[in-house]
Amino acid sequence: MSVLELRSVSRSYGQGASKVAALSDVSMAVEAGELVAVMGSSGSGKSTLLTIAGTLEEASEGEVLIDGVAVATLSLDGRAALRRRRVGYVFQDFNLLSGLTAVENVAIPLELDGQARTSAHAAAMAVLDKLGLTALAGRFPDELSGGERQRTAIARAVVGERRLLLADEPTGALDSLNGEAVLRLLRQACRDGVAGVFVTHDGRLASRADRIIYLRDGHIIDESPAMLGPESLLTNDPRP
Amino acid sequence: MSRTAATRAVAHWAWRMFRRDWKGQALVLALLTVAVAVSSYGAAFGHAFAPNDQASFGSANARIRFTSADPAVAATVVSAARSKLGTVEEITDTLVAIPGSVQQLDLRSQNPHGVFGSSTLKLRAGRYPIGSGDIALTPAMSQFLGAPVGATVTLDAVTRQVVGLVENPTNLDDGFGLVSTPPAGSQTRFTLLVKASSGQLTAFGFAAKVPGGVAVDTPTYYSHDLGVLLVAALGMIVVSVIALTAFLVLAQRRVRQLGMLAAIGATRRQVRNVTVIHGLIVGVIAAVVGTVASAISWTATSSLIAQASGRRVSWDSVPLWLILTPALMGMVASAVAAWWPARAMARVPVARALSNRPLDPPRGPQSAVAAIGALTLGALCLRFAHQRNAFLMIIGLAAMISSSLLTTPLAIRALTAHSRRLPVTGRLAWRELGRNQSRSAAALATVTMAVGISSAAVVITAANTHPPTAGNLSARQILIPATDTRDPAVVPVRTASQTTALDHAAKQVATTLPKAALIPLSLAIDPAAPTSPIAQATGGQDAAQAVRQQGRRLTSYPLYVATPQLLKAFGIDPRQLDHFGYFAIDPTGTWSLLYSHRAPVPQPAPLHIHTYTSLPQVLVSPAVIEGHHWQMVRAGWLLQNPTPISAAEDRAARNLAAQVGLAVETRDPQAYLGRLRWMFTVGGIAITLAVIAIALVLVRIQTTRDQQILTAVGAPSRARRAIAAATATALATLGTLLGITGAYLTLLLAYSDTLHRLSNPPWPALTSIALGIPVLALSTTWFTTSRQPASINRPAIE
């Protein structure tokens, strides 16, 4: 069973003459452990695809299934619970809560889900430790660099028992070195069994995915396995 | 999974956000704090000024009084009371003559630690009397007798040492000397304080065997507490409307952060709770700070309040519920105000919130229509309340306040519309106010409220100041009374030589005003009248009295003798005595005689010359006195000067009167009203300037980017000063205009039945507010704004 499945999903804004189709009849599936890159020009519908997949927006038509559960059948609170427990979201501009420290930011989905503060913080610290952020756990977002913020955001997206990791241009606000590091983390998360989808303009980064989906004017125009770049020679990437 | 853990996480974040962004909420915090402080202070103020019988009853629910000179009779009654009614506290009052004076001193014996009456006795200095040679005096009596602590006084042939100063904190006008035991053999009034049912009291009253009987009465409590709290509640509703606007602005600024929370799985309730908890935090802080500020203000003004109310009301004697209710209302108002923005924000689609697209601006509240509607409602309610209907008064007041506040968005829009012709700095400043209309209108509303409340208070103190034609006496008069100190309708019995001596003493006092006319005042004595308790206790005689009935209201007046000299002083032709038997200040109503005659009296001739309350109100001609076989006795003198009496002349007359054993009464200058007026003026200006400063900080926080750009394009510090000063002056001028106009309009409607009371506006205080606030706002802003904004390259961190 696919972790994420989109069946003939369409999304339009406005009505009548001013109606704009952001997504048209998009179908795709992402399996556990798979990392998919979505590419396309501005306005092609990449972010809309991700927000619909992440239950942040509703599809006008079609069906979205996460872990086999049809999102349309869930209430608003049910979708929120799905986001807390199953879906992790990483944004281009980090979207960390400025009033909370790094560890509190990572722990908050667990705490919102009713987990005790101590156990939530312990889980958050474990993830931060894995990402090399232990020393920064007590810092507030405005005391972190861009790369550190994004790594914290990824930690928040993978904490708990997440099954789907969605990232909207996660390296857009980072330099190339930090961008690479972030991609490695996404890749690592997928190795741990998470299904990952990320949106990017950068073909070089997209090549690190298992599969690349190309969008234009809301349609999937191409879908291909990523080409291995020369950098793959320098890594132990187990991709075939 | 625990819901508590999730709520705690949300509360934790809300608290962190409040701490990081407290400046952004300073305005709403200040507003709520002021509202709580004013409500709390107002509630305590209303409690202090509400008339009640605590001064006489303490914590007892009934009082039994009788007069006797026989200690055995008194002991029998007290013993019977104890056996039938339980705990009894006994207080005695014996009047003794003050040597060389027409005044008498009330020698009181009371247990300072009595079960019921302890609240009516307090030691100010020294100690309480223990032995029969000790006495403690009230400060006024100590001064009158010239007997400080340590001195000796001889009263009723007994010499006692003054061992302390005491007072009745619930009635500071109560003058007495406290002794440990009542003087033996004197006519003494016994007061028994008890807690008993009405049935027990009636049975005891009938059974008591005391010559002259016993009087049983119960206290009448008037409480303004609920009324004051109702006004406070309405005020809180108005404040919560402003707070709602501020929370809406806050929520708009946080739209993205709330979107992030929703994106990571927060439910709508959790997203909503962030803002609601935030509101609650603001409410709790406002409640605590407001209550503390109120307590400090109360302590600072307690002596003025004691002077004005005639009793000491300490902060800890105000009922706790009365203090805590405004604090609770502040918390609820804040949480309720945060509810609507919280609900609106929780409904914003997550994707939209994450893109930082704010909510659509709140639909135009149709401010103009709403303001006119509120104004009409307020005008009608206040007009038809006739200063009596509390419900209509409260509704009217709330409607008028709402009307003023609803005008603020219109005023901001009008300001923006007129910015075109201004220099660039002024244009920028005013347009910025218009661009952030919600926040600017809230700031202006707060300024308007602060100015309106202080202006109204200033005008009310002026309205309550006696006009020259009213008050106790005119500024040209001195009254020298020779009646009983507690009841002006009772005159001590004096021999002819004593009266001559008193006349001589009064003439001596008159020497301090060489040009003044000394007019003797005499009362008509009705020998057939039953002896009143006071006359019985003092051996005095009761004056004849006339009763005026107006509807269900009965008022009695002692009858003064209409001598030609007195009539002339009142501007009446003495020949009128041939035509009229009675003369009255207010001759309306139906008149009859009190006591045995109870005969209707012909309509009195009017004395339309003054409304001075301490002067004789009803005069009776010598012919009528003769017809009723009444007597005439000296009751005092009126000194009438051709010019207003100066403070030095007043002092000289008082000193001389004290030397010859008399006391004088002069016009009450109501100095405390003047002090209160300036207190409200200065306080109002200070609070308004503080509110403007907070508003300015908020506006500048929001326009940081614009200021950085201005700096980048080479704007000098003068330009930044000009922008800040233009903002502050605009808020100050508009707020002052709206506040004073609103306050005056409200008072004109409220006082519509007695408009003459507003005929003397307190120009100096009002001018200080009207000019002082804009000028001080302009100058302080100009001189305090100079810091260059942070670097333009430094991006704002969300």
Side-chain angles (χ1 to χ4, degrees):
Chain A
M1 183 176 60
S2 304
V3 175
L4 171 68
E5 193 174 350
L6 272 64
R7 293 178 185 163
S8 303
V9 168
S10 297
R11 173 67 179 155
S12 55
Y13 299 101
Q15 285 182 331
S18 61
K19 189 173 178 181
V20 176
L23 275 185
S24 299
D25 197 25
V26 169
S27 295
M28 63 180 278
V30 186
E31 306 300 324
E34 187 183 19
L35 181 62
V36 176
V38 180
M39 294 189 73
S41 56
S42 291
S44 59
K46 305 184 296 293
S47 293
T48 305
L49 173 72
L50 222 60
T51 53
I52 288 173
T55 76
L56 301 181
E57 234 179 318
E58 278 184 73
S60 306
E61 288 171 42
E63 202 174 7
V64 180
L65 293 99
I66 296 175
D67 251 357
V69 178
V71 171
T73 63
L74 297 174
S75 65
L76 282 172
D77 281 354
R79 287 177 211 179
L82 196 69
R83 286 198 296 275
R84 288 197 301 271
R85 296 167 192 168
R86 293 280 177 267
V87 184
Y89 219 115
V90 180
F91 302 88
Q92 177 182 353
D93 40 10
F94 326 125
N95 280 357
L96 295 176
L97 297 171
S98 57
L100 301 181
T101 60
V103 68
E104 286 168 344
N105 259 291
V106 177
I108 197 159
L110 304 179
E111 286 195 64
L112 288 176
D113 208 31
Q115 200 164 318
R117 185 186 166 91
T118 44
S119 67
H121 276 228
M125 279 307 292
V127 179
L128 286 173
D129 189 38
K130 209 169 165 183
L131 300 186
L133 292 169
T134 313
L136 308 176
R139 292 198 189 170
F140 285 96
D142 51 10
E143 296 167 341
L144 301 171
S145 70
E148 289 163 347
R149 285 186 215 175
Q150 195 59 298
R151 279 152 64 197
T152 307
I154 290 170
R156 186 178 65 188
V158 299
V159 73
E161 296 170 1
R162 305 302 175 94
R163 299 274 294 137
L164 177 62
L165 182 58
L166 304 168
D168 191 359
E169 304 219 30
T171 61
L174 304 177
D175 58 44
S176 58
L177 211 61
N178 275 310
E180 280 291 338
V182 164
L183 249 293
R184 268 201 303 278
L185 290 175
L186 293 181
R187 184 82 245 166
Q188 180 61 44
C190 291
R191 268 192 216 118
D192 294 343
V194 172
V197 180
F198 72 98
V199 165
T200 184
H201 280 105
D202 189 338
R204 197 169 52 90
L205 289 173
S207 68
R208 305 288 302 275
D210 298 310
R211 190 152 50 101
I212 304 173
I213 291 174
Y214 295 93
L215 283 178
R216 184 190 290 166
D217 298 332
H219 294 274
I220 294 180
I221 55 165
D222 195 10
E223 188 173 346
S224 59
M227 299 293 288
L228 289 180
E231 66 277 10
S232 62
L233 298 172
L234 304 171
T235 66
N236 295 321
D237 197 331
R239 281 185 299 152
Chain B
M1 298 297 177
S2 153
R3 179 178 276 195
T4 315
T7 308
R8 196 179 53 212
V10 168
H12 179 65
W13 187 54
W15 170 242
R16 282 280 178 80
M17 291 306 287
F18 173 80
R19 281 176 57 191
R20 289 173 69 88
D21 192 25
W22 69 269
K23 280 183 190 168
Q25 297 127 69
L27 185 63
V28 67
L29 190 59
L31 181 71
L32 279 164
T33 304
V34 169
V36 170
V38 168
S39 304
S40 186
Y41 188 93
F45 197 79
H47 179 77
F49 277 84
N52 66 52
D53 285 345
Q54 196 200 356
S56 310
F57 288 79
S59 59
N61 75 348
R63 180 177 66 182
I64 298 161
R65 298 175 102 172
F66 63 93
T67 305
S68 176
D70 185 351
V73 171
T76 309
V77 177
V78 173
S79 170
R82 286 211 168 97
S83 67
K84 292 202 165 72
L85 305 175
T87 309
V88 171
E89 185 179 341
E90 182 186 336
I91 299 168
T92 67
D93 292 277
T94 309
L95 288 175
V96 293
I98 298 172
S101 168
V102 294
Q103 305 292 313
Q104 291 175 303
L105 177 66
D106 175 2
L107 283 185
R108 184 173 298 172
S109 76
Q110 179 182 358
N111 179 0
H113 312 293
V115 185
F116 303 121
S118 59
S119 63
T120 63
L121 184 62
K122 192 178 176 188
L123 187 67
R124 294 287 305 276
R127 62 171 174 82
Y128 286 115
I130 302 168
S132 58
D134 292 348
I135 188 170
L137 297 169
T138 55
M141 293 315 293
S142 168
Q143 199 175 359
F144 183 77
L145 295 171
V149 176
T152 55
V153 286
T154 303
L155 298 162
D156 221 18
V158 179
T159 301
R160 297 178 174 89
Q161 187 183 17
V162 181
V163 294
L165 292 180
V166 290
E167 69 178 16
N168 180 352
T170 56
N171 179 11
L172 297 176
D173 297 328
D174 188 5
F176 59 93
L178 186 72
V179 290
S180 56
T181 47
S186 303
Q187 191 78 355
T188 298
R189 188 184 68 192
F190 290 81
T191 302
L192 308 181
L193 298 179
V194 296
K195 266 193 179 169
S197 68
S198 56
Q200 284 175 306
L201 290 167
T202 309
F204 179 80
F206 280 121
K209 298 280 185 292
V210 181
V214 296
V216 178
D217 53 352
T218 52
T220 312
Y221 288 108
Y222 300 90
S223 175
H224 294 172
D225 298 351
L226 285 177
V228 172
L229 284 182
L230 198 56
V231 174
L234 287 167
M236 287 290 179
I237 292 170
V238 176
V239 168
S240 67
V241 173
I242 303 167
L244 184 147
T245 313
F247 283 125
L248 186 64
V249 174
L250 180 81
Q252 281 175 338
R253 282 177 54 196
R254 294 213 180 137
V255 62
R256 190 148 182 268
Q257 294 259 311
L258 295 171
M260 290 176 208
L261 198 67
I264 56 176
T267 60
R268 272 190 178 182
R269 191 174 56 81
Q270 289 166 336
V271 173
R272 194 178 59 216
N273 280 351
V274 174
T275 312
V276 173
I277 289 170
H278 192 102
L280 205 55
I281 290 170
V282 171
V284 168
I285 293 172
V288 172
V289 177
T291 306
V292 171
S294 177
I296 292 169
S297 309
W298 185 267
T299 308
T301 55
S302 58
S303 60
L304 272 176
I305 291 165
Q307 199 176 344
S309 66
R311 69 181 89 151
R312 292 196 193 283
V313 184
S314 64
W315 184 251
D316 54 5
S317 69
V318 180
L320 193 62
W321 69 269
L322 202 57
I323 297 168
L324 291 184
T325 306
L328 188 67
M329 285 195 293
M331 285 189 265
V332 171
S334 183
V336 167
W339 172 262
W340 189 83
R343 183 172 163 273
M345 289 314 301
R347 291 184 170 197
V348 176
V350 184
R352 182 178 178 144
L354 286 172
S355 65
N356 209 14
R357 274 180 288 161
L359 285 174
D360 294 328
R363 271 179 295 165
Q366 312 293 337
S367 277
V369 178
I372 291 168
L375 182 69
T376 310
L377 176 69
L380 288 172
C381 288
L382 290 175
R383 180 69 188 84
F384 292 107
H386 297 294
Q387 293 178 52
R388 284 191 296 275
N389 188 322
F391 179 73
L392 283 181
M393 291 282 283
I394 290 166
I395 299 286
L397 199 62
M400 292 301 288
I401 293 172
S402 304
S403 167
S404 287
L405 300 184
L406 286 165
T407 313
T408 57
L410 301 173
I412 293 288
R413 260 178 256 163
L415 189 78
T416 314
H418 288 89
S419 64
R420 220 174 307 154
R421 292 177 187 167
L422 290 175
V424 66
T425 47
R427 215 181 313 148
L428 262 173
W430 288 18
R431 281 188 187 161
E432 206 54 60
L433 286 174
R435 251 173 14 104
N436 299 291
Q437 190 183 298
S438 303
R439 180 165 297 186
S440 310
L444 182 58
T446 320
V447 175
T448 303
M449 262 185 73
V451 173
I453 289 169
S454 52
S455 305
V458 160
V459 175
I460 287 170
T461 57
N464 282 298
T465 305
H466 299 314
T469 54
N472 58 330
L473 292 169
S474 93
R476 299 187 296 117
Q477 293 168 331
I478 287 180
L479 188 70
I480 309 170
T483 52
D484 188 272
T485 49
R486 288 176 301 180
D487 188 347
V490 174
V491 190
V493 175
R494 298 185 181 102
T495 61
S497 62
Q498 282 176 319
T499 305
T500 308
L502 279 177
D503 281 339
H504 180 69
K507 279 177 189 161
Q508 278 185 279
V509 175
T511 57
T512 55
L513 296 167
K515 291 180 184 172
L518 182 68
I519 303 157
L521 301 173
S522 297
L523 276 170
I525 298 297
D526 179 2
T531 312
S532 66
I534 289 180
Q536 198 181 19
T538 61
Q541 47 200 336
D542 290 295
Q545 292 185 50
V547 178
R548 183 177 61 164
Q549 183 170 8
Q550 281 184 306
R552 293 167 63 186
R553 193 173 168 198
L554 291 170
T555 319
S556 64
Y557 301 92
L559 291 172
Y560 280 83
V561 181
T563 61
Q565 202 181 358
L566 186 58
L567 283 180
K568 200 176 163 191
F570 282 2
I572 303 284
D573 186 348
R575 282 176 295 181
Q576 296 280 342
L577 280 172
D578 300 335
H579 306 291
F580 295 100
Y582 295 88
F583 301 84
I585 296 296
D586 183 356
T588 59
T590 310
W591 290 79
S592 60
L593 291 175
L594 194 64
Y595 304 133
S596 55
H597 296 84
R598 292 207 178 270
V601 301
Q603 191 66 23
L607 291 171
H608 286 306
I609 49 160
H610 65 75
T611 51
Y612 301 117
T613 52
S614 290
L615 288 185
Q617 302 291 302
V618 182
L619 308 180
V620 58
S621 73
V624 172
I625 293 173
E626 198 176 330
H628 286 301
H629 305 293
W630 291 342
Q631 297 156 12
M632 291 184 274
V633 297
R634 181 70 72 245
W637 301 264
L638 177 65
L639 255 175
Q640 188 137 306
N641 206 40
T643 54
I645 295 158
S646 68
E649 288 169 331
D650 181 5
R651 245 190 332 271
R654 277 177 191 284
N655 289 338
L656 195 53
Q659 283 173 24
V660 297
L662 291 172
V664 298
E665 182 183 339
T666 52
R667 183 174 175 79
D668 177 8
Q670 295 178 296
Y672 66 90
L673 281 179
R675 283 198 290 274
L676 272 178
R677 183 153 58 243
W678 283 106
M679 197 176 80
F680 283 122
T681 305
V682 174
I685 291 174
I687 290 172
T688 308
L689 287 177
V691 168
I692 292 170
I694 294 165
L696 210 58
V697 168
L698 291 179
V699 171
R700 285 173 65 77
I701 286 172
Q702 203 159 34
T703 58
T704 304
R705 188 74 186 157
D706 288 354
Q707 290 165 46
Q708 289 171 339
I709 294 168
L710 272 176
T711 307
V713 297
S717 65
R718 186 187 170 81
R720 289 195 301 276
R721 283 179 172 181
I723 291 173
T727 308
T729 313
L731 287 176
T733 310
L734 278 178
T736 306
L737 192 70
L738 289 175
I740 293 180
T741 308
Y744 237 105
L745 193 58
T746 305
L747 292 174
L748 280 173
L749 289 162
Y751 282 87
S752 53
D753 291 339
T754 50
L755 266 182
H756 64 274
R757 295 178 69 180
L758 299 178
S759 57
N760 290 310
W763 290 119
L766 283 179
T767 310
S768 301
I769 292 174
L771 296 180
I773 291 173
V775 169
L776 284 171
L778 171 69
S779 51
T780 49
T781 313
W782 179 269
F783 289 112
T784 54
T785 310
S786 61
R787 199 164 55 87
Q788 184 153 319
S791 164
I792 193 167
N793 292 325
R794 199 169 149 197
I797 293 165
E798 195 172 348

